[in-house]
Amino acid sequence: MNGYTIELYADLKRADLRGADLSGCALKESDCSEALFDEANLKGAWIAMCNFAAASFVNADLSGVEADSSNFEGANLTGANLQDATLSNVNFKNAILHGADLQRANLAGTDLRGINLHGVNLNGADLRHAIIKDGDLDGVIGDDYELSEGVAGRARRPGQRIADRARQAASRARSAFRRARARRPNRGK
């Protein structure tokens, strides 16, 4: 299927395309929800405005794909190669991206709510205007990514988990000190 155009609006729901060579294909505005693309080659494919909800792309090569405005909500992209991918305005809400490589990917305006980016390589990625509310940036690989201030909302930033634990430990120590002081008999009166 290398380089072919698959019919627009194709119904590939629950299709099994594991290991398929779909590099350079055009698959615009198709329903690929719950489809299996594990270890498939989609390098340079045009998959804009497609529905990939709950699809699986484990260890798939999606480098250089054009996937603007596609829906990957709840998709499994564990270990996927998304280097140099155009993923602007994509919905990745609650997707699994553990170990994915998003180096130099364009994620501008992308919805990353509720996502854990631990182990994800974001070096050179563009996250301007991305929605990362309730996401977790702790454990992200690389620090050379562009993130708009104020967009992260309640996202956990790198190192925040350690800082949170330190604040909690200090708060517990202050509380224990106050309790101990309150129990101490009043001497000298």
Side-chain angles (χ1 to χ4, degrees):
M1 297 186 100
N2 184 311
Y4 287 95
T5 300
I6 297 173
E7 179 181 333
L8 292 180
Y9 315 108
D11 183 3
L12 296 172
K13 187 173 186 171
R14 295 187 187 104
D16 188 345
L17 296 164
R18 289 179 283 193
D21 184 2
L22 301 168
S23 58
C25 283
L27 184 69
K28 187 180 176 192
E29 298 183 50
S30 296
D31 182 5
C32 301
S33 57
E34 301 176 38
L36 300 175
F37 293 94
D38 298 346
E39 299 185 2
N41 180 4
L42 287 103
K43 187 174 185 171
W46 187 40
I47 54 175
M49 296 181 274
C50 287
N51 181 16
F52 294 108
S56 183
F57 292 89
V58 174
N59 296 321
D61 185 355
L62 293 134
S63 58
V65 297
E66 298 278 337
D68 292 331
S69 302
S70 287
N71 178 26
F72 286 88
E73 184 169 353
N76 185 353
L77 292 117
T78 300
N81 178 1
L82 293 148
Q83 289 183 15
D84 302 305
T86 302
L87 303 163
S88 58
N89 301 307
V90 165
N91 177 10
F92 277 120
K93 187 176 179 185
N94 297 315
I96 301 166
L97 288 167
H98 184 75
D101 190 346
L102 289 155
Q103 288 185 79
R104 299 173 306 279
N106 178 359
L107 295 154
T110 294
D111 187 345
L112 296 165
R113 286 181 286 179
I115 200 164
N116 181 339
L117 294 169
H118 185 82
V120 174
N121 189 339
L122 290 175
N123 269 322
D126 181 358
L127 290 156
R128 288 176 294 173
H129 307 291
I131 303 165
I132 310 175
K133 189 176 182 182
D134 298 324
D136 192 348
L137 291 169
D138 201 31
V140 166
I141 297 171
D143 56 7
D144 180 30
Y145 54 88
E146 194 166 343
L147 179 66
S148 299
E149 280 304 314
V151 176
R154 295 187 312 240
R156 298 176 73 64
R157 295 181 184 269
Q160 183 176 353
R161 191 170 287 148
I162 294 167
D164 288 348
R165 287 183 187 144
R167 275 192 294 278
Q168 290 167 355
S171 177
R172 284 192 302 272
R174 281 191 301 274
S175 294
F177 178 74
R178 284 188 205 114
R179 283 192 306 272
R181 197 167 66 184
R183 281 187 243 139
R184 190 173 55 193
N186 194 354
R187 297 180 192 193
K189 287 195 178 180

